[in-house]
Amino acid sequence: VLDVATGTADVALEFARRSPAQHIAGLDPSSGMLEVGRTKLAGARVDLIEGDALALPFPDGSFDVVTIAFGLRNLPDYARGAAEMARVLRSGGRLLVLEFLPPSGAARLVFRSYIATVLPVVGRAISGSPEAYRYLASSIGEFIPADAVRRLLSDAGLESVSTRRLTGGIAGLHSGIKR
């Protein structure tokens, strides 16, 4: 299992707790985030690696499962990131992309208003850093819709591509299987 944009390794650690996978790796460009993740490992069979999602440091076909949770929207090139994740999958392997989904219709206006105004205020109250929450609001608001994510996965060579809406439709789990 490879968790791309692992941050502090929460998803990688969940795989270590719940999966029979023999090798679990988490990759992130931030050494600081990985250091926080390392403090959580406590014997878990997870390797944390500093690296770039657009140039994964693994041979073709290295993993049965590749995940990225709330990280695709932060990549400077979505298509290249999807292609790299597909490249390191074995034939029959599954890519799982957990990401925010922009709502549609009137809900989209309410959602955009909320993330642009309320979220930064709450962020400042909780963390003292409204800038981080402004970035979060911006990255969510500008991210591509579910059909575009499915197209990225298909274009990267995956089949049986689907999206399952979660948490009232504000997040989605996109998945595909490598041919």
Side-chain angles (χ1 to χ4, degrees), residues 82-99:
E84 270 296 281
M85 289 184 279
R87 179 186 66 76
V88 300
L89 273 174
R90 290 187 181 108
S91 181
R94 183 176 300 271
L95 174 60
L96 301 168
V97 177
L98 181 62
E99 195 54 81

Side-chain angles (χ1 to χ4, degrees), residues 94-149:
R94 183 176 300 271
L95 174 60
L96 301 168
V97 177
L98 181 62
E99 195 54 81
F100 289 107
L101 292 178
S104 58
R108 183 173 180 87
L109 295 174
V110 172
F111 180 75
R112 286 187 139 208
S113 177
Y114 170 81
I115 64 172
T117 58
V118 176
L119 191 61
V121 171
V122 171
R124 178 175 34 224
I126 292 171
S127 72
S129 175
E131 295 79 24
Y133 287 85
R134 277 193 207 100
Y135 169 75
L136 177 63
S138 171
S139 71
I140 293 169
E142 295 171 11
F143 191 60
I144 59 178
D147 61 333
V149 175

Side-chain angles (χ1 to χ4, degrees), residues 10-167:
D10 292 332
V11 172
L13 284 166
E14 277 303 306
F15 269 98
R17 288 184 191 110
R18 299 172 185 255
S19 167
Q22 292 185 1
H23 180 247
I24 299 167
L27 178 129
D28 199 273
S30 170
S31 60
M33 294 288 272
L34 292 173
E35 280 306 310
V36 172
R38 284 186 182 94
T39 67
K40 299 178 188 180
L41 293 180
R45 51 185 166 56
V46 176
D47 294 320
L48 296 181
I49 301 154
E50 189 173 343
D52 182 357
L54 302 183
L56 294 172
F58 307 104
D60 296 358
S62 298
F63 296 94
D64 295 309
V65 176
V66 176
T67 66
I68 185 168
F70 303 110
L72 183 63
R73 73 179 189 286
N74 295 315
L75 300 182
D77 184 338
Y78 305 147
R80 187 167 159 204
E84 270 296 281
M85 289 184 279
R87 179 186 66 76
V88 300
L89 273 174
R90 290 187 181 108
S91 181
R94 183 176 300 271
L95 174 60
L96 301 168
V97 177
L98 181 62
E99 195 54 81
F100 289 107
L101 292 178
S104 58
R108 183 173 180 87
L109 295 174
V110 172
F111 180 75
R112 286 187 139 208
S113 177
Y114 170 81
I115 64 172
T117 58
V118 176
L119 191 61
V121 171
V122 171
R124 178 175 34 224
I126 292 171
S127 72
S129 175
E131 295 79 24
Y133 287 85
R134 277 193 207 100
Y135 169 75
L136 177 63
S138 171
S139 71
I140 293 169
E142 295 171 11
F143 191 60
I144 59 178
D147 61 333
V149 175
R150 288 191 301 272
R151 199 167 31 259
L152 279 173
L153 300 187
S154 292
D155 290 349
L158 303 177
E159 58 188 17
S160 301
V161 173
S162 65
T163 300
R164 185 171 139 213
R165 288 189 171 269
L166 306 169
T167 58

